[in-house]
Amino acid sequence: MSDVLLSARDLTKRFTSRGPYGRRNEFTAVDGVSFDVRLGETLAVVGESGCGKSTTARIVARLMEPTSGLLEFEGEDITHASGARLAAYRSKVQVVFQDPYSSLNPRHTVERILMAPLDYQGIAPKGGRRAYTRELMERVGLNPDHAHRYPKQFSGGQAQRIGIARALAVDPRLVICDEAVSALDVSVQAQVIDLLRRLQRESGFSYVFIAHDLAVVRQIAQRVAVMCKGRIVEQGPCAEVFDDPRDPYTQTLLAAIPRINPEWDRRRRAAG
């Protein structure tokens, strides 16, 4: 059997608008993007703002229809799936968004937020709602006694853990992290990345990890696809792309990663 969980082929997304005098303008946000996501792996999609990576993520999550192209999941064409087939797909593919506060309903308690995906799928959790809520909160490092609090009562890192717990509620095969750590402080980023890696080891699901920070990508991904102006310009194992980038755009991105001066680092260690 193939180890490919999700396969995207020539995905394209065009947007149209009306300009002055009714002139029709067309913008191509995603232009012929192709990649595979294998079982249990993390594929990072990286690039600067506006390169089309988040649009690609929304197409994969079926939150947006592609203009053209093919999307297969577990060997089944789900490019234009609807109704029961789309609901079944969404039970296997979940999203963790960049801003946890805007993606969590401020009027709902944590328990209601975590149970929403199950309610949508018509699933009754084993052991009851309260017990399952406690289990999910414990898995992501939250105090289960806080299940009846509201999102605004949590820090940014804790709120993102709620978003991760919600994604895990339906036991997905693929989790799409759309800039899931970019809004967090550096120390909190490290904690959330460690959490994502641990959850993957425990459950074996795959990630599509959307990011612009290559230093973060190197910590979590096995393979990387670099996007520029709606196209993938380079992809492959992280070690190969980072150590021997072929495309000039990838070289530019890597050159922009802040590095510690070796002499400064040596002096700091000696002083410490």
Side-chain angles (χ1 to χ4, degrees):
M1 289 182 62
S2 172
D3 66 345
V4 174
L5 178 67
L6 179 134
S7 180
R9 290 291 176 268
D10 296 319
L11 290 180
T12 298
K13 181 62 179 180
R14 298 187 183 93
F15 295 96
T16 58
S17 62
R18 293 289 180 182
Y21 310 107
R23 182 179 300 169
R24 184 174 179 269
N25 298 317
E26 187 173 87
F27 171 69
T28 303
V30 176
D31 189 5
V33 165
S34 299
F35 58 83
D36 293 328
V37 182
R38 299 185 176 92
L39 295 169
E41 81 162 356
T42 298
L43 171 71
V45 181
V46 303
E48 59 190 337
S49 297
C51 71
K53 57 187 185 296
S54 288
T55 301
T56 300
R58 284 166 170 75
I59 293 173
V60 171
R62 284 303 319 277
L63 300 176
M64 184 180 290
E65 286 280 338
T67 304
S68 63
L70 176 69
L71 194 63
E72 291 185 340
F73 187 79
E74 297 179 323
E76 180 183 357
D77 182 357
I78 48 84
T79 312
H80 302 291
S82 60
R85 288 180 64 233
L86 180 58
Y89 177 70
R90 286 178 173 166
S91 72
K92 298 177 182 179
V93 178
Q94 291 289 297
V95 184
V96 179
F97 296 96
Q98 177 178 358
D99 183 356
Y101 293 112
S102 65
S103 65
L104 303 175
N105 192 320
R107 297 184 178 182
H108 290 179
T109 64
V110 174
E111 179 176 314
R112 188 172 177 184
I113 289 169
L114 298 188
M115 291 300 101
L118 297 174
D119 293 340
Y120 175 77
Q121 295 290 336
I123 300 172
K126 294 180 180 179
R129 298 170 70 89
R130 180 170 298 179
Y132 195 54
T133 297
R134 292 181 66 89
E135 178 187 333
L136 288 171
M137 294 184 73
E138 288 174 349
R139 285 185 68 188
V140 299
L142 292 173
N143 187 340
D145 293 333
H146 297 165
H148 294 290
R149 293 187 178 184
Y150 294 86
K152 67 180 180 181
Q153 296 175 279
F154 294 87
S155 68
Q158 290 173 327
Q160 192 60 291
R161 288 172 185 263
I162 296 171
I164 294 169
R166 178 179 61 184
L168 299 180
V170 289
D171 194 22
R173 301 292 309 282
L174 175 67
V175 177
I176 301 169
C177 297
D178 187 6
E179 298 277 11
V181 300
S182 63
L184 306 176
D185 293 338
V186 174
S187 60
V188 179
Q189 277 188 4
Q191 294 170 12
V192 173
I193 289 170
D194 286 344
L195 170 64
L196 292 171
R197 293 171 66 181
R198 174 175 62 80
L199 292 170
Q200 187 179 49
R201 288 194 302 270
E202 292 174 354
S203 301
F205 48 70
S206 304
Y207 286 122
V208 172
F209 194 85
I210 308 296
H212 64 271
D213 189 336
L214 272 71
V216 170
V217 165
R218 195 161 198 169
Q219 298 177 54
I220 192 169
Q222 288 82 49
R223 291 192 305 117
V224 59
V226 182
M227 287 193 71
C228 177
K229 297 180 180 179
R231 296 172 176 253
I232 291 180
V233 296
E234 185 166 1
Q235 64 177 307
C238 271
E240 292 182 11
V241 173
F242 276 68
D243 296 341
D244 186 23
R246 303 300 177 88
D247 190 86
Y249 179 74
T250 308
Q251 295 169 5
T252 301
L253 285 181
L254 290 169
I257 299 177
R259 289 175 171 81
I260 297 175
N261 185 300
E263 180 63 21
W264 296 348
D265 193 40
R266 185 187 64 78
R267 292 176 183 176
R268 179 182 62 81
R269 292 176 183 274

